[in-house]
């Protein structure tokens, strides 16, 4: 199959008209050419098989049912563990974590015992020319994708098939191997974090502070005028460490509930409760160099206090500071057609709700903005699509379910019978909204295209939090320097490594403190297997005293679960928690509490980082697949098979 030159639908209509004018001879020639293959894959993060099946049976997802009648619908086995970066990497490469090297959202450095993001890293900037107070980097920063393996779209391109990959997780920076790419989950904000919002208030008693996913700042307010400062990353051009900043002003109308926002040359009039559009922002680094960014502003209140939320400052697609697309100009091209858009990997700002900055309604309003942007772009790219592969990712369902799932579960410990039932319609409504996306696709996709709808994992109510590191202490596998101090410590700062044999890190990971592998390892390598077996047996026997059910239903030993050259990055064990139980946030980052299992009272009330057999995703297709798939690992090969490409015959896939 030869690679074709892209033309839009308008151009195709013009070509057809020309052919008709030129006569039947040209038409006859085209009849001998086989039609070009068209496959559309919609990735719905977190769509649960059982939940979807029930709504289909109730007639609330008619487009899913329509597709299932002619094609197929069923569960799709997820990854071990069922975390999004792991699951999507399985789909992308056809390999497990041992092959692609992604075992969790975070990995650990065995030398420093510090966690780091598993999917990408920024390197470089060390070498610089120093002049006065300035330094000038001699080598630009390198943004490195840490996922290994061959993405299936690379093989498509090698066979002359165009691929368009939008927002697939674990693909930042973009691989550069598809015809079009836009990075998704894993793309940082301008600070280099997964997303850090700013909240400003005129409350004179405010405690300015950093919090998980955000920061609280005081506003200087007098005579109807408030002033604040937007905070950027560190200025790489200064020898002395200093963060970038730029000022903004809020002019408050003394009579009406509105204010004028001024940032640089940009001005916006905002009413109370109103969101701004994307506001371009520039941080001056040196007199000849600025860092472009953008943000959305939400005027939350003017009385009794002025309160202003600013979204995580984003990479501006009109002038990207980081690589976010293939080709690099594509992000700007898309922004010119559809407007600026969230470029941060997980744009739904869940930390505002868990941090009590937003109400549920405010969080849902912000999540709707992100969803509307992504849907608007999808309509454009679908309209452009004429051949090859189109993959498009939707993450709205996953993050909204994380925050709203207790509304589906009256047995959840934080369920409020007075307040929660009204939010059930939010969860079910977003399933119905995704059904409409399928309907829109069916009505607007090329006539002979095949549609594949898939999800990376299912979902569950998260009722019980398991504090793995506390369990290790209770069972004498971890020892503290000061047993009386169990919370508010830095990562592992209170751990006595000279007497600790195992530790937990990440949402499912458990590491053995192996000598000559960990910086403070004490367990001889010859005793590792026996210790793994002992810990596994004890965890599988652990009964939740409140439910009377096992807290853990599966234990996955590293070398029994995975294969490949990156086993050294993974934990010795992955813990498969029972459905409804998950590792606590505290334990996931190496912190401690004073109990082993507790009720989950967080607004983050739904999850999927459990026994992978209990949270399958979905697979829906308009026709039978040329190569059936039962798992995410197999599905990438199935996509290739639609184009006559056998992944198992390649050197790297399958």
């Amino acid at each position: 199959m030869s690679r074709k030159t892209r033309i839009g639908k308008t151009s195709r209509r013009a070509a057809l008209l020309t052919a008709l004018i030129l006569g039947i001879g040209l038409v006859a020639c085209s009849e001998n050419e086989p039609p070009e293959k068209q496959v559309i894959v919609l990735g719905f993060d977190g769509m649960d098989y059982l939940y979807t099946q029930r709504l289909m049976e109730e007639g609330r997802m008619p487009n899913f049912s329509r597709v299932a009648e002619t094609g197929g619908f069923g569960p799709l086995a997820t990854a071990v563990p069922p975390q999004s970066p792991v699951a999507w990497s399985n789909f992308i490469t056809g390999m497990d974590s041992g092959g692609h090297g992604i075992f969790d959202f975070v990995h650990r450095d065995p030398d420093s015992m510090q966690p780091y993001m598993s999917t990408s890293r920024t390197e470089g900037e060390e070498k610089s020319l120093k002049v006065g107070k300035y330094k000038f980097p001699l080598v630009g920063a390198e943004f490195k994708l840490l996922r290994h393996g061959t993405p299936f779209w690379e093989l498509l391109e090698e066979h002359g098939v165009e691929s368009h990959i939008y927002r697939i997780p674990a693909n930042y920076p973009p691989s550069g191997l598809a015809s079009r790419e836009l990075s998704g989950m894993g793309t940082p904000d301008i600070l280099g974090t997964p997303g850090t919002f700013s909240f400003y208030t005129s409350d004179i008693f405010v405690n300015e502070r950093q919090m998980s996913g955000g920061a609280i700042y005081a506003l200087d307010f007098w005579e109807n005028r408030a002033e604040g400062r937007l905070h950027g990353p560190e200025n790489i051009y200064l020898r002395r460490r200093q963060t970038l900043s730029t000022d903004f002003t809020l002019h408050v109308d003394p009579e009406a509930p509105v204010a004028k926002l001024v940032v640089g040359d940009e001005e916006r009039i905002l009413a109370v409760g109103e969101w701004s559009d994307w506001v371009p922002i520039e941080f001056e680094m040196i007199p000849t160099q600025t860092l472009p960014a953008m943000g959305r502003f939400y005027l939350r209140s003017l009385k009794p206090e002025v309160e202003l939320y600013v979204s995580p400052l984003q990479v501006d697609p009109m002038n990207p500071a980081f690589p976010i697309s293939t080709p690099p100009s594509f992000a700007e091209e898309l922004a010119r057609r559809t407007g600026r858009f969230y470029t941060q990997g997980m744009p739904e700002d869940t930390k505002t709700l868990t941090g009590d900055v937003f109400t549920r309604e405010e969080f849902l309003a912000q999540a709707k903005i992100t969803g509307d942007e992504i849907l608007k772009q999808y309509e454009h790219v679908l309209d452009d699509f004429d051949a090859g592969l189109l993959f498009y990712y939707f993450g709205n369902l996953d993050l909204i379910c994380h925050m709203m799932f207790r509304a589906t579960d009256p047995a959840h410990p934080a369920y409020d019978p007075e307040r929660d039932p009204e939010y059930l319609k939010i969860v079910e409504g977003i399933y119905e909204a995704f059904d409409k996306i399928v309907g829109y696709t069916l009505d607007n996709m090329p006539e002979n295209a095949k549609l594949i709808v898939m999800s990376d994992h299912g979902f569950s109510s998260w009722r019980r939090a398991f504090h793995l590191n506390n369990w290790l202490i209770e069972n004498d596998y971890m020892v503290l320097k000061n047993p009386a101090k169990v919370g508010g410590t830095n990562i592992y700062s209170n751990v006595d490594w000279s007497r600790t044999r195992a530790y937990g890190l990440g949402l499912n990971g458990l590491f053995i403190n192996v000598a000559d592998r960990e910086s403070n390892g004490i367990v001889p390598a010859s005793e590792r297997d026996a210790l793994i077996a002992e810990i596994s047996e004890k965890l599988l026997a652990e009964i939740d005293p409140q439910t009377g059910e096992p807290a853990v239903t599966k234990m996955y030993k590293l070398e029994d679960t995975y294969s490949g050259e990156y086993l050294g990055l993974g934990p010795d064990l992955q813990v498969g928690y029972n459905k409804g139980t998950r590792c606590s946030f505290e334990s996931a980052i190496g912190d401690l509490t004073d109990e082993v299992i507790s009720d989950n009272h967080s607004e983050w009330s739904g999850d999927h980082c459990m026994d992978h057999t209990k949270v399958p995703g979905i697979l829906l297709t308009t026709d039978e697949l040329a190569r059936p798939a039962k798992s995410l690992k197999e599905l990438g090969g199935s996509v290739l098979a639609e184009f006559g490409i056998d992944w198992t015959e390649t050197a790297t896939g399958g």
Side-chain angles (χ1 to χ4, degrees), residues 73-94:
F73 170 73
L76 185 67
T78 182
V80 178
Q83 299 182 27
S84 289
V86 183
W88 289 104
S89 295
N90 279 16
F91 171 53
I92 290 169
T93 66

Side-chain angles (χ1 to χ4, degrees), residues 1-14:
M1 188 182 299
S2 62
R3 185 167 183 155
K4 73 183 187 67
T5 302
R6 271 189 65 77
I7 56 175
K9 284 186 175 178
T10 302
S11 299
R12 293 204 310 276
R13 294 189 190 104

Side-chain angles (χ1 to χ4, degrees), residues 360-361 364 404 406-408 415-429:
R360 289 183 182 181
E361 286 69 25
L364 290 170
M404 297 291 154
R406 75 179 184 191
T408 72
Y415 184 82
D416 183 340
E418 299 294 325
R419 184 178 178 217
D420 284 331
E422 67 177 295
Y423 294 98
L424 177 61
K425 65 185 179 187
I426 299 297
V427 175
E428 296 183 346

Side-chain angles (χ1 to χ4, degrees), residues 611-638:
D611 177 341
H612 83 290
T613 63
K614 298 178 184 292
V615 283
I618 63 109
L619 179 61
L620 176 75
T621 60
T622 47
D623 303 290
E624 187 176 335
L625 292 175
R627 175 177 160 178
K630 294 183 179 178
S631 70
L632 281 167
K633 262 176 61 177
E634 298 172 348
L635 188 56
S638 299

Side-chain angles (χ1 to χ4, degrees), residues 23 37 92 107 109 116 120 130 159 163 202 204 254 268 378 392 492 526 582 590 610 652:
K37 191 76 178 180
I92 290 169
H107 288 168
D109 180 344
Y116 61 90
S120 66
K130 297 179 177 61
H159 285 75
S163 57
S202 61
I204 60 174
R268 301 289 189 277
Y378 174 61
Y392 202 92
Y492 303 126
S526 60
R582 202 209 75 175
M610 304 164 185
T652 53

Side-chain angles (χ1 to χ4, degrees), residues 231-469:
H231 300 271
E234 190 172 312
N235 190 342
I236 61 171
Y237 288 99
L238 292 182
R239 297 179 67 175
R240 177 178 293 183
R241 295 189 65 174
Q242 181 177 320
T243 56
L244 296 163
S245 65
T246 191
D247 296 335
F248 69 86
T249 305
L250 205 58
H251 300 275
V252 178
D253 190 300
E255 298 179 357
V258 297
K260 181 172 76 172
L261 171 74
V262 181
V263 188
D265 296 331
E266 299 288 334
E267 296 184 359
R268 301 289 189 277
I269 302 294
L270 293 176
V272 171
E274 184 178 5
W275 288 80
S276 76
D277 61 351
W278 286 108
V279 179
I281 298 162
E282 289 194 343
F283 291 102
E284 182 178 304
M285 305 174 81
I286 54 178
T288 59
Q289 193 78 26
T290 59
L291 176 69
M294 64 176 192
R296 275 188 183 271
F297 295 74
Y298 167 61
L299 184 58
R300 189 168 195 256
S301 167
L302 288 177
K303 292 180 180 178
E305 303 294 346
V306 178
E307 293 181 343
L308 181 72
Y309 161 91
V310 184
S311 71
L313 299 182
Q314 314 270 309
V315 175
D316 186 348
M318 299 292 284
N319 188 13
F322 308 154
I324 58 171
S325 69
T326 302
S329 61
F330 175 63
E332 180 183 356
E333 176 189 327
L334 191 59
R336 290 196 181 282
R337 294 183 62 191
T338 65
R340 285 183 163 91
F341 54 88
Y342 275 96
T343 55
Q344 171 198 348
M346 291 191 286
E348 294 83 358
D349 205 343
T350 57
K351 297 297 185 183
T352 58
L353 192 51
T354 56
D356 291 328
V357 171
F358 273 1
T359 64
R360 289 183 182 181
E361 286 69 25
E362 288 171 325
F363 163 73
L364 290 170
Q366 187 271 334
K368 186 177 185 304
I369 291 172
T370 71
D372 288 348
E373 282 184 356
I374 289 171
L375 183 57
K376 182 179 180 181
Q377 290 185 342
Y378 174 61
E379 293 171 357
H380 279 269
V381 301
L382 180 62
D383 187 53
D384 282 350
F385 177 66
D386 53 17
L389 172 71
L390 168 62
F391 172 89
Y392 202 92
Y393 169 86
F394 295 85
N396 223 216
L397 184 147
D398 178 78
L399 287 163
I400 289 176
C401 283
H402 274 302
M403 309 312 293
M404 297 291 154
F405 214 73
R406 75 179 184 191
T408 72
D409 179 18
H412 191 283
Y415 184 82
D416 183 340
E418 299 294 325
R419 184 178 178 217
D420 284 331
E422 67 177 295
Y423 294 98
L424 177 61
K425 65 185 179 187
I426 299 297
V427 175
E428 296 183 346
I430 196 163
Y431 270 79
E432 292 168 339
F434 277 40
D435 179 75
K436 290 178 181 174
I437 292 173
V438 170
Y440 179 86
T441 304
L442 293 171
D443 293 341
N444 292 277
M445 67 185 190
E447 184 177 358
N448 296 314
K450 176 174 282 190
L451 175 62
I452 300 172
V453 183
M454 46 84 70
S455 68
D456 56 338
H457 52 69
F459 232 85
S460 169
S461 177
W462 175 23
R463 299 173 181 171
R464 301 284 283 164
F466 194 90
H467 305 275
L468 179 60
N469 282 312

